[in-house]
Amino acid sequence: MAWAIAFVIPYAVVFSAFVVYPIAYGLWMARDPSLYRDLIANPLYAQTVVNTVLYVGLGVNVKMFLALLLSGFFMRRRWWITALLPIFILPWALPAIPAFVSFHWMLIGEEGLVDSLLSALFGIQGPLWFTDRRLALGSNIVAHIWKWLPFWTLTFFAARTAIPQEIYEAADVDGASGFRRFAHIVLPLLGNLYLVCTLLSTLWTIGDFTTVALVSGGAPSYSTNVLATLGYYYAFDAAQPTLGIAVVMSALPVLIPIAIILMRTLHTREVQL
Amino acid sequence: MRARRVLVEALSVMLAVVLLIWSLTPVYNMLLIALDPDEGDIEFEGIIWPPDPSLHSFHTVVTQGYWLLEDFWRQFGNSFFIGLMTMLLTVLIGSLASFALGRMRLSQGWLLANAPLLTYAVPASFLVIPFSRLMASYGLSNSLWAIIAANVTFATPYAILILRQYATLIPIELDQAAQVDGASPVQVYRRMYLPLMAPALAAVGTFALLLAWNEYLYQYVLLSSTRNMTVAVAIAQFFNSDEAPWNYMMATAIIYSLPPIVIFYVLRGYMAAGLTRGAVRG
């Protein structure tokens, strides 16, 4: 027992010094209710909340669904699919800063690679991606999916390889293939894992700063910020740290229930990551 | 039936081509910009192929031949130090905690077992303001250790999760047998747990390293002096400067990308094994 405590102490120290204390300190800094009244009255905050919902809602769900489908694609035994896998996971291995800086430059307008390709291949004049709010928001979402799709595809791929081959063989004997195989074998077996991964990814994506900061940078005129980048903007560029903390802490009523559902799902259903 | 097979095969090939283009386009874009020999304002309009490819910008980065890159190798060392320390500490703290939680039946285990996930209830980026003030009061502002502390904090929960799951594959009877033979918990941990957990530890270590290499916000906020900066922050510095040597920036970004890619592909075999085991309980 004494040993068990000794083994846990390093983690307990990290947890209390760098998680509990900063959270408590942050809440204390942003304790003034008038901050939240100011935020609610602020149209920039309202727009940022909408952006965050769109960014997380679309980004996470499209990414997870594609990952689930692609993990099935990578199960196919073809040499060229096996050869593709290491290239496909390159976005995950590539650090975030270079990747998103590259996205920014690809979409910088007429000089960007995307618009250059559009005009070279199809003769179309491409749009100015960061002058239109919807296009800029979409660029952020696509960049997010690009970066994190491989990680979740690999997670589902690993789970699929652990499904016993006999189950597929039995399904073959029964004549089930394609969509029915997906609906009756893959979904029931991976359903819980899918739920857990989606929740975890939602938590991670709500806190995503780097993608939006580097791809659109909030352009045009602060209209594509998410909570993390707006909080940063208030705290460091506008020198209003308490308002910055209030921006991010206002997400707690959403974050904490998700974390609790995640914990309960992990416990009650014996899901494995 | 045969026609269907051919159709499925054709669609697969198309999907593979789409995935190839999807994965490589941003990487190609980096090369396109980095291979341009001209400093300053580069006219890229309509360019999809480097007209005059040159390694000049890579040479400039490696020889630190531009004022924003004066401390490049030192900054590279800082990034390395942060990455390696994050990896080591995450593996150490994570394996100790997962050992205690999974194998030693800690009576107050519930809170501790859930603490890792609670960490994710408040994302790292949301804590950067209180964290930076806290680091000032701990006397760690502008210190690499502040970054390492933040990285370890946010990598360990996932590490504990993965390690505990992997550990269920190792029969608990092994531990009990060793204890009957008089082995202390430390010996069980060192001689049995760590070696048997090697694939999962490699997976978790790589995860921590990539997390450190991906991290940008804390480094940007906490590291202010050029000598203590990391390459990630140095790349961002290009955006703040009036000049526009984007080819240097991209060359820096490409060199910065190489270590994690190499480590990642070397450890990939382990990673797959570490993530795969016990992924589904049928």
Side-chain angles (χ1 to χ4, degrees):
Chain A
M1 187 63 203
W3 276 115
I5 292 172
F7 274 63
V8 170
I9 278 178
Y11 181 65
V13 168
V14 167
F15 185 71
S16 34
F18 301 125
V19 180
V20 177
Y21 194 25
I23 291 177
Y25 190 43
L27 286 173
W28 179 79
M29 281 177 80
R31 67 195 176 285
D32 186 355
S34 72
L35 285 172
Y36 299 92
R37 276 198 294 275
D38 289 353
L39 279 184
I40 290 168
N42 185 343
L44 184 57
Y45 175 75
Q47 192 176 47
T48 304
V49 171
V50 173
N51 291 343
T52 312
V53 170
L54 285 173
Y55 179 68
V56 176
L58 282 173
V60 171
N61 286 304
V62 172
K63 175 184 65 181
M64 296 317 265
F65 190 65
L66 285 178
L68 184 64
L69 294 183
L70 284 177
S71 66
F73 171 71
F74 283 109
M75 291 290 285
R76 302 193 52 155
R77 296 207 175 86
R78 300 282 184 285
W79 67 265
W80 41 272
I81 292 181
T82 317
L84 180 65
L85 191 58
I87 300 169
F88 176 70
I89 55 182
L90 186 64
W92 181 32
L94 195 72
I97 297 96
F100 295 138
V101 165
S102 178
F103 260 92
H104 181 80
W105 283 103
M106 244 163 56
L107 299 167
I108 199 72
E110 292 165 339
E111 295 181 12
L113 179 63
V114 172
D115 282 2
S116 299
L117 279 172
L118 283 177
S119 81
L121 297 178
F122 308 108
I124 317 169
Q125 196 184 355
L128 297 169
W129 298 88
F130 300 129
T131 54
D132 181 286
R133 173 167 172 258
R134 277 168 303 174
L135 287 178
L137 201 57
S139 308
N140 290 337
I141 294 172
V142 169
H144 169 84
I145 295 174
W146 184 82
K147 178 80 177 81
W148 298 110
L149 186 61
F151 176 71
W152 298 110
T153 305
L154 270 196
T155 306
F156 292 136
F157 179 75
R160 277 182 194 253
T161 55
I163 297 176
Q165 200 57 39
E166 299 87 64
I167 296 183
Y168 286 126
E169 281 159 14
D172 271 345
V173 172
D174 293 342
S177 65
F179 176 74
R180 287 171 62 198
R181 208 158 96 157
F182 181 74
H184 296 290
I185 302 176
V186 177
L187 275 188
L189 282 176
L190 297 193
N192 282 332
L193 180 73
Y194 188 81
L195 178 66
V196 167
C197 290
T198 305
L199 291 172
L200 195 56
S201 172
T202 304
L203 289 178
W204 284 346
T205 310
I206 290 176
D208 188 7
F209 169 86
T210 317
T211 314
V212 177
L214 291 175
V215 176
S216 84
S221 58
Y222 302 105
S223 69
T224 56
N225 272 310
V226 289
L227 290 173
T229 53
L230 187 71
Y232 177 89
Y233 166 73
Y234 278 139
F236 294 100
D237 295 343
Q240 291 179 284
T242 50
L243 195 61
I245 296 176
V247 168
V248 293
M249 288 303 173
S250 67
L252 283 190
V254 177
L255 288 165
I256 290 172
I258 295 177
I260 290 171
I261 298 172
L262 179 60
M263 283 188 291
R264 296 197 73 91
T265 318
L266 273 172
H267 272 274
T268 52
R269 311 225 192 132
E270 293 267 312
V271 183
Q272 313 258 320
L273 267 179
Chain B
M1 207 57 198
R2 204 185 133 78
R4 228 194 90 146
R5 285 250 164 94
V6 173
L7 184 70
V8 169
E9 210 61 22
L11 286 176
S12 296
V13 174
M14 271 167 64
L15 180 59
V17 172
V18 169
L19 287 176
L20 195 68
I21 295 170
W22 161 263
S23 305
L24 289 180
T25 305
V27 181
Y28 174 72
N29 182 55
M30 292 167 74
L31 283 171
L32 184 68
I33 297 178
L35 290 176
D36 192 283
D38 298 320
E39 299 169 29
D41 229 4
I42 313 163
E43 204 48 58
F44 272 111
E45 201 175 328
I47 289 178
I48 53 174
W49 193 255
D52 190 11
S54 123
L55 292 174
H56 164 75
S57 52
F58 289 96
H59 179 79
T60 309
V61 175
V62 173
T63 54
Q64 310 191 127
Y66 185 73
W67 68 273
L68 276 171
L69 296 163
E70 268 169 0
D71 288 309
F72 175 74
W73 286 112
R74 197 185 149 85
Q75 291 162 348
F76 203 77
N78 290 341
S79 289
F80 243 102
F81 182 71
I82 290 174
L84 286 179
M85 280 299 153
T86 303
M87 185 162 137
L88 286 177
L89 287 173
T90 303
V91 167
L92 180 70
I93 296 174
S95 65
L96 283 171
S98 70
F99 182 73
L101 290 171
R103 326 284 296 179
M104 298 173 84
R105 297 201 198 89
L106 208 59
S107 57
Q108 258 78 48
W110 190 88
L111 180 70
L112 277 167
N114 283 308
L117 283 169
L118 275 174
T119 309
Y120 289 139
V122 185
S125 67
F126 287 14
L127 291 176
V128 68
I129 304 158
F131 200 90
S132 63
R133 302 213 163 177
L134 217 63
M135 282 302 143
S137 71
Y138 291 163
L140 287 173
S141 41
N142 198 20
S143 155
L144 298 182
W145 285 103
I147 310 297
I148 294 166
N151 288 343
V152 170
T153 305
F154 289 96
T156 317
Y158 185 79
I160 294 177
L161 221 61
I162 292 285
L163 293 176
R164 286 198 61 187
Q165 240 117 52
Y166 193 85
T168 56
L169 293 173
I170 305 169
I172 194 89
E173 289 79 19
L174 271 177
D175 298 31
Q176 287 159 352
Q179 272 162 357
V180 169
D181 291 342
S184 73
V186 180
Q187 283 170 323
V188 177
Y189 169 78
R190 273 191 50 204
R191 302 272 167 78
M192 268 175 45
Y193 191 71
L194 287 187
L196 287 171
M197 294 285 285
L201 294 175
V204 160
T206 316
F207 175 84
L209 183 77
L210 289 182
L211 182 132
W213 221 265
N214 276 321
E215 206 283 310
Y216 159 70
L217 178 61
Y218 278 73
Q219 299 175 11
Y220 189 67
V221 169
L222 290 165
L223 302 176
S224 45
S225 76
T226 341
R227 291 184 65 74
N228 276 3
M229 247 176 219
T230 59
V231 180
V233 185
I235 293 170
Q237 292 290 309
F238 279 87
F239 281 103
N240 300 333
S241 100
D242 293 336
E243 297 156 70
W246 303 121
N247 48 349
Y248 295 166
M249 184 188 70
M250 279 302 180
T252 314
I254 290 171
I255 296 174
Y256 178 65
S257 307
L258 292 178
I261 292 178
V262 169
I263 293 172
F264 182 84
Y265 284 105
V266 168
L267 290 180
R268 201 161 73 88
Y270 282 105
M271 292 215 53
L275 285 170
T276 307
R277 302 287 172 78
V280 174
R281 241 180 230 169

